[in-house]
Amino acid sequence: MANPFRKVRRTLLPWAVVLQVGAQAPAPPWDGRLAAQSSGAPIRAYRIPEGLSASLRIDGLLSEDLWSRAVPVDDLLQREPLEGVPASERTEVRILYDDDALYVAVLAHDSEPDDVVGRILQRDQLMEPDFFGGGLQFAGDDAVAILLDPFHDHRSGVVFATNPNGAEFEALVSNEGRDINIDWRGVWEVAGARTPEGWSAEFAIPWRSLRYPDAAVDEPWGFNVYRVIRRKNEEALWRGWQRVRGGFQRVSAAGHLEGLEGLPRQGLNLESKPFLLGGAHRELNDADALESRSTLDAGLDVKTELRPGLVLDLTFNTDFAQVEVDDEQVNLTRFDLFFPEKRDFFLENSGIFQFGVPGNPFEPPPFQMFFSRQIGIDEDEGEVPILGGARLTGRVGGQTVGLLNIVTDEAYGLSRESFSVARVKRDVGESNYIGAMVTDRRGGGEWNTVTGVDGQTIMGGAWVWDWFYARTYTGGEGGDDHAYRVGLDYTGDEWGLLFNHLSVGPDAEATSGFIVRTDVRRTDLYGRHRWRPAVLGLRRLDVWSGFNYVSTMDWRMQDYALGVALNPEWESGETFNLWGNVSETVLDEGFELTDDVDVPVGRYRNDQVMLFGNTSRRRAASADVNAIVGKFYGGTLKSAGGSLTLAPSPQVALGLGFTRNDVDVPSGSFTADITSLRASYSFSTRLTTNVLVQYNSLDRAFSTHVKVNFIHRPGSDLFIVFTENRGDDRRVWNLQDRGLVMKVTYLARL
């Protein structure tokens, strides 16, 4: 099979810096519709009387009498563009429940229903991380998201979202929104519908898809609602609408959901998900001959809830054939690359295992104690078989715990290995924590262990202080050293501040994690001021300024950058970023940009000007552009690119991307082009075809990835995946490998 994790390259420039900062509930009054609950009051869920649940149809239309008699909340307030002002369009939210599920109804009124934007039908496309502002942001559609905090710990929760088409999106939020997992997939149901009043949606979330404590009378859950009115670029929330100390991802800012009593406990809550896989593959061997082979395999994933909120996952003969390949990029740095995790088993509750410094849109995380892509993926060879593993994650009282052990098989001359992780975080106060973590990797007589402690303190809601200290130990010579970090982040509406200091010793080694560079002290200090001028259609204007300084542990300068960034955003949704910086780099060791072009030891100025911009995604056609011009290791770098996205209907989405990097340094010059085409066709919310075609002119690599995904029942999938890689030093079209795989999974809840 073509390797879905083959090594690719990412454009990352050395000057980049972080800029982001059991009794039944009382019967409800069924004898008539009640007035909306008053502002500041909790929302109350009402148990559906026995025998009436069958009358509830999840079709997006709130036509059942159960909904019309439920008590709504409708006091959403704007976060953008007018903070604290009532939303320009009314949103009604109602909640019911029975022994099977939690039901949420949303009636999104709109005075111009024909202008409601709904171009997304495919699953998992409605929301995305907001890299500059933190948290989650909606894509190009009108949409509604709900947040549930069942343990009411003010730290973690689960998000469900939809649009007028009934497209599905879910995510896990942890650490007060600082860790967001948009790749998690839950089992639930939603439907949307357009109405003369605007649009409406119905959510049905089975209790078995949620983790919650034992039911207690009057014990509330955290709850919030977030709506975007796309033609106005208006954001409205039920709670947490404040620009300072607010935001949908701020779980502690959520309101209260009351009335959930007598919720079912279903024993071990056991889920079994076996898979069967068959495929055919052709691959070029060492003798430049194509070898053919067939594959027939099976495996099993098991999930059970040992106690409320504590989940045990088991996996046997794990396979990830359906995972999309990484984006093809060009690497213009001397550092290792970092690619996000996409494999299902590692995604649920993955935020528990976060320890280190988060990355940003321009550079990878400098230090991560645990990085799950170290398991089952070899940088040079590709996928390594996973024999099996176990993961225990969740909450026990005021603690968040995580235990993981995975065993990989022998492959490509690599020995069998065992990966182990232990993590605990203790709640301190309302939103703070102190934690500890241990990672261990062993195999072939070698071992590496890393231990660490960390913590987070939120002061006044807007000041966040993060710190950690880690110690590494390695069998044999070297590998014993330390790393630490202190960070302070203030995110206000008018002002912002980011301070970060990181130190990684010269012998630090974390083979279960990710370290960009060792023997380094790095300090970042950046400030932001925001204006909201009522001119030229502007919504806001941000100006950033600051610096970063990098030295060795003995204080020899390695890098510095001093810069200013200008970031206007218009009411229409258009935005751009103009950056300029002066920077200098000292190379103690040379490195290769390509096989024919290298950069020798020396001191270099790397001053650059950068521009990034995008049009509003509410339109059927949207575009992104980027450009970089500046000095580059004694020469010049000129980079330009962009993408064009077309969404003529909810079923069809097309994306064409192109980037050119023109490099001219004293040892030579080269041009690297990356071209990509993404296409998807959604027959329904359950049947989707995705195509990704990429070409890298520098590596003369041409790749194709086609995936058909049919959700034949909730939580159960049929995948048909075709992959092909072509290109070598002789001809672009020479076949390297090709594979066709069919995989079927079946979720059984026992």
Side-chain angles (χ1 to χ4, degrees):
M1 172 185 165
N3 170 26
F5 307 110
R6 62 189 182 81
K7 184 179 179 182
V8 294
R9 298 180 176 180
R10 180 183 299 272
T11 302
L12 293 169
L13 298 175
W15 39 258
V17 294
V18 182
L19 292 183
Q20 66 178 43
V21 253
Q24 181 164 307
W30 300 102
D31 55 349
R33 177 172 176 167
L34 301 181
Q37 301 181 30
S38 62
S39 177
I43 186 172
R44 187 167 186 85
Y46 291 102
R47 178 181 284 275
I48 300 174
E50 187 174 351
L52 294 183
S53 294
S55 64
L56 192 63
R57 300 181 305 277
I58 306 302
D59 56 9
L61 298 172
L62 314 185
S63 56
E64 295 86 356
D65 185 59
L66 294 176
W67 290 128
S68 65
R69 295 170 181 260
V71 178
V73 295
D74 65 351
D75 51 343
L76 274 65
L77 301 179
Q78 295 183 40
R79 193 164 194 253
E80 294 288 352
L82 302 174
E83 181 186 22
V85 174
S88 64
E89 307 287 353
R90 186 181 176 203
T91 306
E92 300 177 53
V93 182
R94 299 170 171 85
I95 300 180
L96 304 172
Y97 71 103
D98 58 18
D99 287 337
D100 298 319
L102 180 74
Y103 306 97
V104 181
V106 178
L107 179 55
H109 293 268
D110 199 300
S111 56
E112 301 179 49
D114 292 340
D115 292 332
V116 170
V117 180
R119 295 194 176 90
I120 297 173
L121 185 61
Q122 186 175 348
R123 187 185 180 112
D124 300 329
Q125 303 299 309
L126 277 178
M127 303 187 81
E128 59 196 7
D130 181 0
F131 290 111
F132 289 101
L136 285 168
Q137 64 179 358
F138 286 105
D141 280 10
D142 280 77
V144 167
I146 61 173
L147 180 144
L148 298 171
D149 174 13
F151 285 91
H152 206 214
D153 61 6
H154 303 286
R155 293 167 173 82
S156 58
V158 59
V159 172
F160 301 93
T162 194
N163 67 350
N165 302 325
E168 301 172 19
F169 176 90
E170 65 271 85
L172 296 176
V173 175
S174 57
N175 197 16
E176 263 288 70
R178 296 173 73 84
D179 298 316
I180 297 177
N181 182 349
I182 66 172
D183 295 307
W184 171 73
R185 289 187 63 183
V187 178
W188 58 295
E189 185 179 358
V190 69
R194 293 176 181 265
T195 69
E197 296 83 15
W199 63 281
S200 57
E202 292 176 300
F203 299 75
I205 307 168
W207 296 121
R208 303 195 65 171
S209 296
L210 297 171
R211 313 298 174 198
Y212 53 88
D214 285 321
V217 176
D218 294 330
E219 182 65 28
W221 288 17
F223 180 82
N224 210 351
V225 181
Y226 178 25
R227 179 185 175 187
V228 64
I229 304 169
R230 181 50 66 195
R231 73 177 184 281
K232 305 177 184 180
N233 283 313
E234 179 180 317
E235 301 175 13
L237 292 96
W238 181 51
R239 299 291 183 263
W241 45 265
Q242 300 88 348
R243 291 171 181 158
V244 179
R245 302 183 299 276
F248 184 62
Q249 77 282 357
R250 290 293 297 271
V251 183
S252 62
H256 288 164
L257 167 60
E258 295 183 344
L260 297 175
E261 300 177 357
L263 301 185
R265 299 247 51 100
Q266 301 172 352
L268 291 179
N269 195 2
L270 184 65
E271 295 181 358
S272 172
K273 193 172 185 178
F275 78 82
L276 181 65
L277 178 147
H281 317 277
R282 299 188 72 193
E283 189 169 1
L284 201 66
N285 60 23
D286 294 336
D288 284 342
L290 288 170
E291 289 184 354
S292 299
R293 58 187 175 89
S294 59
T295 301
L296 183 63
D297 208 354
L300 176 67
D301 291 336
V302 176
K303 184 188 298 289
T304 183
E305 193 170 18
L306 299 183
R307 55 166 293 165
L310 191 61
V311 179
L312 174 65
D313 290 276
L314 303 173
T315 183
F316 305 95
N317 196 29
T318 314
D319 175 83
F320 303 107
Q322 73 275 15
V323 177
E324 184 182 79
V325 297
D326 294 306
D327 289 340
E328 193 81 31
Q329 297 288 341
V330 174
N331 183 23
L332 298 177
T333 77
R334 61 195 189 275
F335 305 116
D336 290 336
L337 306 176
F338 183 90
F339 300 100
E341 180 62 82
K342 299 180 180 180
R343 298 170 295 175
D344 292 344
F345 178 78
F346 296 102
L347 294 177
E348 184 173 2
N349 290 334
S350 61
I352 292 175
F353 298 103
Q354 292 291 329
F355 186 110
V357 185
N360 65 82
F362 308 103
E363 61 180 354
F367 182 95
Q368 290 281 303
M369 185 186 292
F370 177 65
F371 178 40
S372 58
R373 280 182 64 121
Q374 298 285 10
I375 304 174
I377 303 175
D378 180 74
E379 185 181 73
D380 298 315
E381 301 294 342
E383 187 175 357
V384 176
I386 294 178
L387 295 177
R391 180 184 60 192
L392 182 68
T393 56
R395 289 189 59 83
V396 180
Q399 288 75 231
T400 300
V401 298
L403 300 172
L404 181 145
N405 180 257
I406 301 288
V407 178
T408 59
D409 202 359
E410 299 175 355
Y412 315 117
L414 304 173
S415 61
R416 182 173 295 183
E417 290 189 293
S418 173
F419 298 79
S420 301
V421 185
R423 174 65 152 150
V424 62
K425 297 167 70 174
R426 170 67 183 179
D427 299 347
V428 179
E430 182 174 295
S431 303
N432 313 315
Y433 77 84
I434 185 169
M437 185 162 159
V438 179
T439 65
D440 185 80
R441 179 175 180 175
R442 296 175 183 266
E446 299 179 353
W447 60 271
N448 173 257
T449 301
V450 185
T451 63
V453 292
D454 67 338
Q456 175 181 282
T457 302
I458 299 179
M459 299 168 290
W463 292 90
V464 181
W465 175 43
D466 291 294
W467 61 270
F468 78 79
Y469 177 84
R471 185 77 186 177
T472 69
Y473 307 89
T474 303
E477 297 182 3
D480 297 352
D481 217 320
H482 71 278
Y484 68 87
R485 179 240 183 171
V486 177
L488 186 63
D489 184 1
Y490 173 76
T491 303
D493 183 50
E494 185 176 359
W495 296 96
L497 176 69
L498 173 68
F499 168 78
N500 179 70
H501 178 74
L502 170 71
S503 175
V504 182
D507 293 323
E509 187 173 355
T511 59
S512 295
F514 187 88
I515 302 177
V516 172
R517 60 198 293 190
T518 57
D519 189 18
V520 61
R521 299 179 190 268
R522 170 172 174 165
T523 302
D524 300 272
L525 180 61
Y526 280 85
R528 168 186 58 79
H529 185 62
R530 174 174 294 162
W531 290 270
R532 293 182 176 272
V535 296
L536 303 176
L538 285 168
R539 171 168 293 184
R540 62 190 186 191
L541 176 64
D542 292 354
V543 175
W544 282 89
S545 63
F547 73 93
N548 73 336
Y549 183 84
V550 180
S551 73
T552 61
M553 293 295 290
D554 57 3
W555 302 104
R556 288 183 294 109
M557 196 274 282
Q558 297 289 284
D559 301 277
Y560 78 81
L562 178 65
V564 175
L566 181 70
N567 175 209
E569 179 181 338
W570 283 266
E571 295 287 359
S572 59
E574 275 72 26
T575 182
F576 80 87
N577 295 270
L578 178 64
W579 299 1
N581 70 285
V582 295
S583 65
E584 193 168 18
T585 295
V586 175
L587 292 183
D588 295 330
E589 296 181 3
F591 70 101
E592 291 185 346
L593 285 170
T594 70
D595 293 338
D596 302 319
V597 179
D598 62 359
V599 178
V601 172
R603 192 180 189 104
Y604 301 95
R605 289 295 297 267
N606 288 323
D607 307 342
Q608 294 176 339
V609 176
M610 298 148 278
L611 171 66
F612 304 88
N614 63 270
T615 64
S616 174
R617 295 175 61 183
R618 77 175 188 264
R619 301 185 177 92
S622 61
D624 296 88
V625 295
N626 60 82
I628 302 172
V629 178
K631 299 176 181 179
F632 187 70
Y633 294 112
T636 59
L637 167 67
K638 299 176 183 177
S639 177
S643 64
L644 176 64
T645 301
L646 302 175
S649 73
Q651 289 76 28
V652 178
L654 298 171
L656 178 64
F658 177 78
T659 299
R660 164 161 289 193
N661 292 285
D662 190 349
V663 177
D664 187 355
V665 294
S667 63
S669 61
F670 64 90
T671 298
D673 296 334
I674 301 293
T675 306
S676 65
L677 172 65
R678 291 181 178 272
S680 66
Y681 188 88
S682 301
F683 298 89
S684 68
T685 57
R686 291 194 171 191
L687 178 58
T688 303
T689 299
N690 287 291
V691 178
L692 173 59
V693 180
Q694 301 182 92
Y695 175 66
N696 184 331
S697 68
L698 188 62
D699 293 339
R700 296 172 61 85
F702 187 92
S703 66
T704 302
H705 183 272
V706 181
K707 180 174 73 174
V708 178
N709 180 199
F710 174 50
I711 305 173
H712 56 90
R713 64 193 303 268
S716 304
D717 297 89
L718 170 66
F719 299 101
I720 301 175
V721 181
F722 171 79
T723 57
E724 183 180 84
N725 295 296
R726 293 179 176 270
D728 57 28
D729 293 336
R730 294 165 295 179
R731 291 184 58 199
V732 171
W733 204 244
N734 284 351
L735 180 65
Q736 296 296 308
D737 55 67
R738 174 189 293 154
L740 180 64
V741 172
M742 183 173 70
K743 178 180 178 180
V744 60
T745 68
Y746 185 87
L747 175 65
R749 290 183 155 180
L750 308 177

